[in-house]
Amino acid sequence: IMETQSLVAQYQTSFAASPYNAANRVFNIKKAARAINGLVLEAGEEFDCNAVLGDRNAENGWKEAAGIRNGRYETEYGGGVCQVSSTLFNAVMMADLTITERHPHSWPMGYVEIGRDATISTGGKNFKFINSSGSRIYLFAHVDEENKVLTVTIYGKPLPDGMYIEIESEHTGSIESAGEILMLDESLPFQTRVVEREARDGKTAVTYKVYRAKDGSLLRREVAYEDTYRAIDGLVYVSTDLYYP
């Protein structure tokens, strides 16, 4: 492969920090990386992340780990696979391939900069791209467990004239949440609050593809994505005395 193909793009993310280093989550990252590692895409072929990984469930050998559902972290099969799809997303942008489906999370993730994540869910949101390079590409995904780093690499036809792409993103604004919504739970003892979901302010972000010549000089800077991470209202169950003060 190496004789005929060039390194087109490479991107790394870390899972060293808590909660990203939970054992089941790392298991799922490794399983997803294995599914992608060594894939060959012919010119014009589309990559479909949910199809490649298969349904995340117990039958398919996925483990339960934290994932985002209904505006909060919940334990689900395949929790952590979005770090793999997000790492791949960055490499695909750097390889200048045509992305056909990509969605941001409910809120920014700690393992990539804001605007640079790509969430997926079984039977739901997906990450897809077309090999628009004009020639065959090879995808590699490697997990370094010692250094807790995931690396996605794309080999194929290099970008013209030694050109390369950098990805930049910035937080552009905030959206205030409405705060906490109180729900009555008459079964709770007095003076009790049960937080079902934390309130989160929303954020807006813009992500750029920065095209550079071989010598590093700027060729052009394009807006790739403008994302909105919605505000999430808190949901708190309270006892009767707190609901009717």
Side-chain angles (χ1 to χ4, degrees), residues 12-158:
Q12 293 183 321
T13 58
S14 170
F15 52 90
S18 178
Y20 303 121
N21 58 8
N24 279 6
R25 189 179 184 278
V26 174
F27 175 93
N28 291 333
I29 287 174
K30 286 162 60 184
K31 182 172 167 60
R34 280 197 305 273
I36 290 167
N37 191 50
L39 281 183
V40 179
L41 284 185
E42 299 297 340
E45 191 176 345
E46 185 172 50
F47 173 92
D48 178 324
C49 203
N50 278 337
V52 168
L53 300 186
D55 291 354
R56 271 76 75 198
N57 54 36
E59 295 75 40
N60 288 340
W62 297 94
K63 293 197 173 176
E64 290 186 298
I68 298 172
R69 190 174 295 278
N70 302 320
R72 64 182 192 142
Y73 277 115
E74 291 184 4
T75 299
E76 62 182 25
Y77 286 103
V81 296
C82 293
Q83 182 158 353
V84 180
S85 55
S86 296
T87 308
L88 177 61
F89 166 55
N90 280 270
V92 167
M93 281 197 290
M94 292 165 72
D96 214 20
L97 302 172
T98 303
I99 295 166
T100 49
E101 184 178 350
R102 171 260 168 186
H103 307 272
H105 284 77
S106 299
W107 56 81
M109 295 290 101
Y111 51 78
V112 284
E113 290 176 39
I114 190 169
R116 297 178 64 168
D117 57 309
T119 188
I120 58 172
S121 62
T122 295
K125 290 176 178 174
N126 204 350
F127 173 61
K128 297 181 182 180
F129 68 89
I130 291 171
N131 173 13
S132 51
S133 70
S135 70
R136 180 183 293 171
I137 61 168
Y138 298 83
L139 304 179
F140 295 97
H142 173 69
V143 175
D144 178 345
E145 279 194 88
E146 190 180 342
N147 295 305
K148 297 180 170 46
V149 169
L150 166 67
T151 304
V152 171
T153 311
I154 300 174
Y155 285 91
K157 186 172 77 175

Side-chain angles (χ1 to χ4, degrees), residues 147-209:
N147 295 305
K148 297 180 170 46
V149 169
L150 166 67
T151 304
V152 171
T153 311
I154 300 174
Y155 285 91
K157 186 172 77 175
L159 299 181
D161 306 319
M163 180 177 81
Y164 63 96
I165 295 171
E166 294 176 335
I167 310 301
E168 294 175 0
S169 63
E170 57 189 16
H171 172 206
T172 52
S174 298
I175 306 158
E176 203 172 331
S177 92
E180 291 182 343
I181 298 168
L182 298 185
M183 305 282 283
L184 174 63
D185 183 345
E186 293 177 345
S187 70
L188 292 174
F190 276 18
Q191 294 296 307
T192 304
R193 288 166 46 88
V194 177
V195 178
E196 175 76 9
R197 187 176 67 215
E198 298 275 359
R200 287 178 183 265
D201 287 347
K203 290 180 165 67
T204 57
V206 61
T207 301
Y208 300 95
K209 287 170 76 170

Side-chain angles (χ1 to χ4, degrees), residues 2-13:
M2 311 302 282
E3 292 169 13
T4 54
Q5 303 291 324
S6 299
L7 171 64
V8 182
Q10 185 175 75
Y11 193 72
Q12 293 183 321
T13 58

